[in-house]
Each structure stands twice: as C-alpha cells, then as structure tokens.
Amino acid sequence: MTPHTETAHSTAWSTSLPAPLHPGAPPRSILVVEDERDIAELIALHLSELPAQVTMASDGLSGRDLALQHPWDAIVLDIRLPGLNGLDLCRELRAQLLPVPILMLTARSAELDRVLGLELGADDYLTKPFSVIELQARVKALLRRSAITQAVQNEATAQKPSMFIRGSLKVDRLQRRAWLSGIEVALAPREFDLLWHFVQHPGRVFTRTELLDEVWGYSHDGYDHTVNSHINRLRSKLGDERADAGFIHTVWGVGYRFEAAA
Ligand code: CA
C-alpha cells in the first residue's frame, strides 16, 4: 500500500464523540499512528471519550505527513510500523522541534529499553498490552500539559518572569527555548518543562513523585524511571557530567535539586 492510500484511510477512520465531558471544552485533536487496525480503533474509541477528535494513520510515512500538517494536541505512536518505524518518526518530529506531546507504544521490554535509551524525546510510553483506562489517563495527562503549554504561549503580556538567565544558562519560557553559553540546547517538550520547573526554584529539592505531579500531571506514583530517564537526558544536554558539578544535582534518597552558578 502506498502512503497516499493510507492517508485516505486515516481520514475515513476519523471519529469523535458529539458530547464533550466538560461542556464548552473543545475536543482535542489526537493523531494515532498504529498499523494494527483493531488496536488503532480501540485506541480511537477510548480517546474519543476524553473528548477528542482522533485521526488515524496506519504507517510511518503517512503518520509523519499528518504529524507535520496539523498542530496536534497529542500523538500516540506505535514503534513497529511499516514504512518508517515509530522510533525514527519520533526522532524526526523532535528534530523539527515539533512541541507536540508524544506517547510511544512498545510491544516488548527490549523496545522499551530503546525508547528510554535513545533520547528520542517521547514524553511517555505504554507497554502493550495496556489497559484502556491507563491509556486514557496517560493521554489526559499529556493533554493537560499541552493545554498548559498553550496557555503559557498565549501569555504575551505575562506578569510572571518569562526569562531565566544565570551564568552560562538562559531559558526563555515564552519561546520555550534554552541556551548554554549562547548555543541553543534542543530540548523535548517535557525536558523543557522540567528545566523551567527547576529554574523557578533554585536550591529546592524535589522528590520524583513531586516532579511527576507538578511537571507530568500524574496524581499517582510508580513511574520513577520516567523521571530518571528525563532527568538523565536533560543533564546530558546541559553538560552535567559530574555529580558535584552542573545544574541538576542528585540528592541521594530524596530526589533532585537545581543549582545555577552565577
Ligand atoms: Ca505495530
């Protein structure tokens, strides 16, 4: 099948619920890139309840085309796809600095290792088989963050500080960009959120649970590895190579603390 044909399918599969759960809230737009049609339809059915307008793509290339065409509120991305696999697709979207939250679907723990190890810039992941309740919860959290991001970007006349500059580090909240010694640091959306959260509270120690709650929007714990993985990527990008130097410090047995030398 050609990518063109798949794109046509994607449109045909679009689905949404007419009645929003919260009256007045516009449905969010979600792109689901998954080649197994049964799974894709199950995902679409349950995400439409959020409510959301779900568009499906059944291969990596049409998924990429759609991802780049629209400002999606979230993308659910399977790893094993014909045409272009989900790992490469995710990396490509991040290389283009697309700020959309991405939830990766992995079939095996070996794939999960790759998701966590490759610094792809995915915001979250689920291992198949997953429960639809868990899927809804994860996507809801991504959408909440997406809404917050949007609100922040809309704050043209924000009263809150929108810039952090200390030593070699500069972070611009409205542009959602960061620089180290004048060189831009390419950060995935969640990495930026984490960094902005830290720079607002220099010296304060955050537990992983607090970071999950305040940055990811999860109300439950049990995802310490998600925090660790993002912290490690952020540290690597900030050049934090030694435990006693750099910006983000591990507070053993507690969590993390941000320090910026003047
Ligand atoms: Ca697949």
Side-chain angles (χ1 to χ4, degrees):
M1 276 185 276
T2 66
H4 177 79
T5 310
E6 296 303 333
T7 305
H9 280 166
S10 310
T11 309
W13 296 353
S14 289
T15 176
S16 69
L17 268 195
L21 293 178
H22 308 289
R28 316 300 295 279
S29 65
I30 301 176
L31 174 62
V32 175
V33 189
E34 164 64 90
D35 60 315
E36 289 162 86
R37 187 162 178 158
D38 289 352
I39 296 177
E41 288 183 344
L42 185 73
I43 292 172
L45 177 69
H46 288 90
L47 294 187
S48 68
E49 292 170 359
L50 290 178
Q53 175 80 38
V54 181
T55 300
M56 290 184 270
S58 58
D59 71 276
L61 293 173
S62 61
R64 179 181 62 190
D65 290 346
L66 282 166
L68 295 173
Q69 276 169 23
H70 297 280
W72 302 98
D73 292 306
I75 296 177
V76 177
L77 181 56
D78 188 34
I79 286 186
R80 291 195 203 177
L81 294 166
L84 176 68
N85 73 55
L87 297 169
D88 289 337
L89 175 51
C90 182
R91 191 185 291 109
E92 202 170 308
L93 297 179
R94 287 309 184 224
Q96 304 208 25
L97 296 179
L98 216 66
V100 59
I102 297 176
L103 172 70
M104 303 283 305
L105 302 179
T106 75
R108 295 173 307 164
S109 56
E111 285 181 344
L112 177 56
D113 291 344
R114 296 195 69 204
V115 173
L116 295 178
L118 285 178
E119 300 189 13
L120 296 169
D123 296 86
D124 203 354
Y125 55 84
L126 272 180
T127 311
K128 292 178 178 176
F130 49 81
S131 82
V132 292
I133 301 294
E134 187 68 11
L135 173 75
Q136 284 183 329
R138 299 297 188 91
V139 173
K140 263 188 200 170
L142 291 186
L143 292 177
R144 264 201 305 275
R145 209 214 67 210
S146 169
I148 292 167
T149 301
Q150 195 61 48
V152 166
Q153 283 171 342
N154 290 343
E155 268 183 76
T157 56
Q159 298 300 305
K160 286 188 290 182
S162 62
M163 189 81 87
F164 175 90
I165 302 173
R166 184 85 55 88
S168 58
L169 180 65
K170 175 177 159 185
V171 188
D172 185 325
R173 178 173 62 92
L174 296 179
Q175 287 194 60
R176 295 181 61 80
R177 295 166 75 190
W179 295 263
L180 203 55
S181 301
I183 297 169
E184 181 159 12
V185 183
L187 295 175
R190 190 81 79 188
E191 292 163 5
F192 181 87
D193 293 339
L194 250 184
L195 178 59
W196 184 254
H197 194 69
F198 274 123
V199 304
Q200 286 176 286
H201 310 280
R204 184 181 149 188
V205 179
F206 291 97
T207 66
R208 292 171 182 81
T209 306
E210 283 173 331
L211 290 172
L212 271 174
D213 187 39
E214 293 164 24
V215 179
W216 272 257
Y218 294 165
S219 54
H220 54 280
D221 56 15
Y223 293 94
D224 287 3
H225 50 296
T226 300
V227 177
N228 294 350
S229 156
H230 281 76
I231 293 268
N232 289 340
R233 283 208 300 272
L234 184 56
R235 274 178 161 165
S236 160
K237 291 180 178 181
L238 294 176
D240 287 10
E241 277 152 10
R242 287 169 30 211
D244 61 339
F247 297 102
I248 298 171
H249 299 253
T250 301
V251 180
W252 295 108
V254 186
Y256 300 100
R257 185 185 72 233
F258 173 85
E259 298 285 357

